[in-house]
Amino acid sequence: MKHKGRIQRPKTLAEVADFSDSLEAFGRNLRDWQHEIQRGEVRNRPEFSKRLAARPRLLVARFPDGDIADATLAAYAEWLADEAGIDRPDWCGEPERVAENPWFGSLLRGWLIANTPASYRHRNLFTIPEPVFRPKPGRPRVPLEQKRRKAIARQKAYRERVRMLLQQARSESVRASSGTPN
């Protein structure tokens, strides 16, 4: 979708639905959303969960085959949540998010019937979804300002320790020079 002279990619599955006015546009928007996730914008499970959580509008009345788009969003969100080990969005269980007729993603119908994940099969869709989210190893990103505050606090604590050690060394030196035992 164009926004102020530039193309805007959907950041949530709800935006995929908002930006779609045909099954073809839905496919493009879903692919753009996948690219947005794969680019590395989403690095952890809580952020990924936010990208799935908002309830997408129903597309069944918006364009022909909108029921396929509705079922695809629910199946994909459910499957991705299971793969990422996060809670499924509540809206995935809505009964209107099932395709009216079976839909096959390719001509290999027998193979698809056997290999399609359950989240798709029980919505009358037969296709193999593309995984898009892999949590990044390591710690989550921290804003630069937060890093600076921590560095300042560490530096302050270090200087305090050095000051205490110097003070202790001076008092021991004074006691040693005066002949006072520890």
Side-chain angles (χ1 to χ4, degrees):
M1 167 171 265
K2 286 195 175 197
H3 186 264
K4 295 184 183 177
R6 62 183 169 86
I7 295 178
Q8 179 184 2
R9 284 188 165 165
K11 298 204 181 304
T12 65
L13 288 180
E15 286 183 357
V16 170
D18 290 343
F19 295 176
S20 300
D21 57 5
S22 69
L23 193 57
E24 183 181 339
F26 171 79
R28 282 193 311 270
N29 290 323
L30 185 59
R31 176 59 69 189
D32 282 348
W33 180 80
Q34 291 170 331
H35 285 243
E36 187 73 19
I37 300 300
Q38 289 172 328
R39 265 186 7 180
E41 293 294 318
V42 178
R43 303 179 68 75
N44 56 49
R45 286 178 178 88
E47 177 61 27
F48 187 59
S49 184
K50 289 179 193 173
R51 301 289 179 113
L52 301 178
R55 181 187 185 278
R57 70 175 16 177
L58 289 172
L59 300 172
V60 66
R62 196 163 188 199
F63 54 82
D65 292 331
D67 64 319
I68 294 170
D70 291 330
T72 299
L73 284 175
Y76 199 42
E78 182 178 303
W79 182 78
L80 287 171
D82 291 349
E83 291 290 305
I86 59 177
D87 292 335
R88 293 174 176 174
D90 294 335
W91 57 267
C92 289
E94 296 172 350
E96 58 270 18
R97 295 189 182 273
V98 175
E100 186 176 327
N101 297 306
W103 181 85
F104 291 86
S106 79
L107 297 176
L108 304 172
R109 289 179 178 218
W111 187 85
L112 286 173
I113 289 170
N115 293 293
T116 295
S119 61
Y120 280 78
R121 275 195 317 267
H122 75 263
R123 287 186 177 82
N124 233 356
L125 302 173
F126 298 90
T127 188
I128 303 300
E130 182 178 328
V132 294
F133 175 71
R134 303 240 191 292
K136 305 293 188 242
R139 298 180 180 170
R141 289 185 179 174
V142 176
L144 186 58
E145 187 55 39
Q146 184 178 345
K147 288 181 182 181
R148 286 183 179 141
R149 285 193 306 270
K150 281 181 88 172
I152 289 168
R154 273 195 312 271
Q155 191 62 243
K156 186 177 179 180
Y158 170 76
R159 287 181 180 157
E160 183 62 26
R161 281 193 312 274
V162 168
R163 188 182 64 73
M164 297 282 286
L165 288 171
L166 283 173
Q167 190 176 26
Q168 185 181 8
R170 284 186 189 127
S171 66
E172 287 176 10
S173 175
V174 168
R175 275 185 270 178
S177 64
S178 67
T180 311
N182 291 3

